[in-house]
Amino acid sequence: MSIAESPTTPTTEYRPAPPFDPELAAVLAVLGAQMPSTLTTEMIGPMRSANVTPPIDEVLAARSVDVVREDRAIPGPAGAPDITISIFKRADHVAGGPGIYHTHGGGMIIGDRFTGIDTILDWVEEFDAVAVTVEYRLAPEHPDPALVDDCYTGLVYTAEHADELGFDASRLIIAGASAGGGLCAGVTLLARDKGGPALAGQVIIYGMLDDRNETVSSHQIDQIGVWDRGSNDTGWDALLGDRRKTDAVSIYAAPSRATDLSNLPPAYLDCGSSEVFRDEDVAYASKIWADGGIAELHVWPGGFHGFDMMAPQAALSVAMRETRTAWVRRLLGA
C-alpha cells in the first residue's frame, strides 16, 4: 500500500498491518457483513438513524447490580444550547467515592452519551463510583470547538457539583473511547490551561488524537478492520473543515498537536496493534513521558478498533478490560 506519488516526493511503501488476532478475526468476518470499514460522509445520516447504541434501559436491566440513572439539562457554553447529562450510581450508593466523567465515541459525527457506557458502568458497580456522561453536539452540523466546549462545560459542572452528586472531587477521572478518547485528552489539556477542575487521571481508550492521519498505522489500516483511514478522514473533515491539517487546528481538538504535555494527570492509554489509532496513541504516551509525566500504555496484539466492545467475550477483550480496570483501581485506591 502506498501514499500518492508526486514528482517531488519519494514514494513511501507501507508494509501490511499486523494480522488480526485469530479469535477477533472470526468476529470481524461477521461484523464486516454489517459494518463497512470505511464510513463516508453520505453514511453519517443512516448510521445515526440505525441507533447503533443499545437502549440504555436495556443496558441497565442487564447489569448484575442495580444502577440508577438521572438525566439533567445544564447550561451550555456561552451562547450555546443547554447540555443533557446523565448521572449513574449504584442504587445503594455510599457518598464519598470516586467520580468518572465520560465522553463518548463515534468519530465526532455519530453516537450519543450512552455509546460505550458499559465500560463506565463496570466501574460504577465495582468502585461505587458516580459517573456522569455528556451529550455533546456532533459534527459536521456543529464543528470544532463545539464538541470540546460542551465536554469541558459538563466537566466543570460535574466537579462543581461533586458533593451534591455524591463523590469525592479529588478522585474525579475522565474517560472516553475513540473520538471520546480524543475529547478526553483535549478536555484534560483545557482543564490544565484554564486552571479548571483538578483531575485525578485520564483514560484514553484507543483515542482519536491526530487530524493529520499520516502515521504508519493510519496508512496500514485502509479498507480493512473497523474505522479505517477513510473513516478517519470523514470524521476529521466533518469536525475541522478547511482548517484540517493546517496550523489553525487547536490542540484541544487534536491533542497530538500539543507540544507540551507536562503537568497533566496520570494517563492510561490502550489500543490494538491492528487499528488506525495505534501510532498516534503510542506517540502521545511517549510525549507524556518525554515531558516528565506519568502514562501507562498497552497495545494489544492483533486488536482492531473497538474490539473489546464488539467482541467482549474474546480472550484479548477480557484481558484488555481487566488491565484497564486494574489501573483505575490502583489510581483511585478503590
Side-chain angles (χ1 to χ4, degrees):
M1 195 174 301
S2 66
I3 61 174
E5 296 182 46
S6 78
T8 57
T9 57
T11 300
T12 301
E13 296 292 341
Y14 296 96
R15 296 176 186 267
F20 294 117
D21 172 85
E23 190 177 14
L24 295 179
V27 175
L28 193 57
V30 177
L31 288 174
Q34 309 161 2
M35 180 185 301
S37 295
T38 305
L39 177 62
T40 65
T41 301
E42 293 72 24
M43 295 177 185
I44 295 175
M47 287 289 288
R48 289 180 183 176
S49 300
N51 293 325
V52 295
T53 302
I56 188 60
D57 290 339
E58 294 181 13
V59 171
L60 293 177
R63 306 293 306 185
S64 59
V65 173
D66 190 10
V67 174
V68 294
R69 164 188 155 216
E70 175 193 352
D71 293 339
R72 292 187 187 182
I74 66 171
D82 286 352
I83 299 169
T84 299
I85 60 171
S86 289
I87 303 150
F88 295 95
K89 60 181 74 171
R90 291 173 59 130
D92 59 354
H93 174 66
V94 176
I100 303 162
Y101 184 71
H102 175 241
T103 52
H104 74 79
M108 312 288 184
I109 50 180
I110 59 175
D112 62 32
R113 65 191 184 280
F114 304 128
T115 302
I117 198 66
D118 261 326
T119 295
I120 306 303
L121 293 177
D122 286 346
W123 298 341
V124 169
E125 287 188 11
E126 180 167 346
F127 306 132
D128 194 14
V130 175
V132 175
T133 185
V134 59
E135 190 74 46
Y136 58 81
R137 289 168 287 174
L138 297 175
E141 296 91 336
H142 305 284
D144 176 67
L147 289 73
V148 72
D149 282 352
D150 285 357
C151 292
Y152 182 72
T153 298
L155 173 68
V156 171
Y157 178 93
T158 299
E160 290 178 346
H161 291 75
D163 289 343
E164 178 211 342
L165 295 173
F167 69 90
D168 178 354
S170 71
R171 301 172 72 196
L172 174 62
I173 67 171
I174 183 170
S178 193
L183 289 164
C184 164
V187 167
T188 302
L189 289 169
L190 201 51
R192 178 197 66 179
D193 295 346
K194 284 192 168 188
L199 290 162
Q202 52 176 329
V203 183
I204 302 170
I205 303 169
Y206 27 82
M208 179 179 176
L209 303 173
D210 194 338
D211 65 295
R212 292 163 292 193
N213 209 21
E214 288 297 343
T215 64
V216 171
S217 60
S218 74
H219 284 278
Q220 287 180 319
I221 307 301
D222 191 357
Q223 301 183 49
I224 60 171
V226 174
W227 192 264
D228 73 342
R229 173 179 183 76
S231 304
N232 214 26
D233 281 332
T234 299
W236 283 115
D237 284 347
L239 182 71
L240 298 172
D242 292 341
R243 285 179 292 148
R244 188 177 169 215
K245 299 186 179 183
T246 73
D247 292 341
V249 174
S250 159
I251 64 170
Y252 310 120
S256 289
R257 299 295 200 108
T259 58
D260 178 5
L261 296 184
S262 64
N263 299 313
L264 294 172
Y268 182 93
L269 301 97
D270 59 13
C271 60
S273 69
S274 305
E275 72 161 288
V276 74
F277 296 137
R278 180 195 67 212
D279 291 342
E280 61 200 75
D281 291 351
V282 171
Y284 201 75
S286 296
K287 178 63 176 166
I288 291 174
W289 294 322
D291 287 341
I294 300 171
E296 181 167 325
L297 168 70
H298 293 266
V299 181
W300 296 94
F304 59 80
H305 184 62
F307 69 90
D308 62 318
M309 289 194 290
M310 299 180 203
Q313 306 305 320
L316 207 67
S317 302
V318 173
M320 183 189 216
R321 288 198 308 275
E322 288 180 348
T323 304
R324 189 188 294 146
T325 296
W327 183 85
V328 174
R329 184 183 301 113
R330 291 197 306 274
L331 180 77
L332 296 175

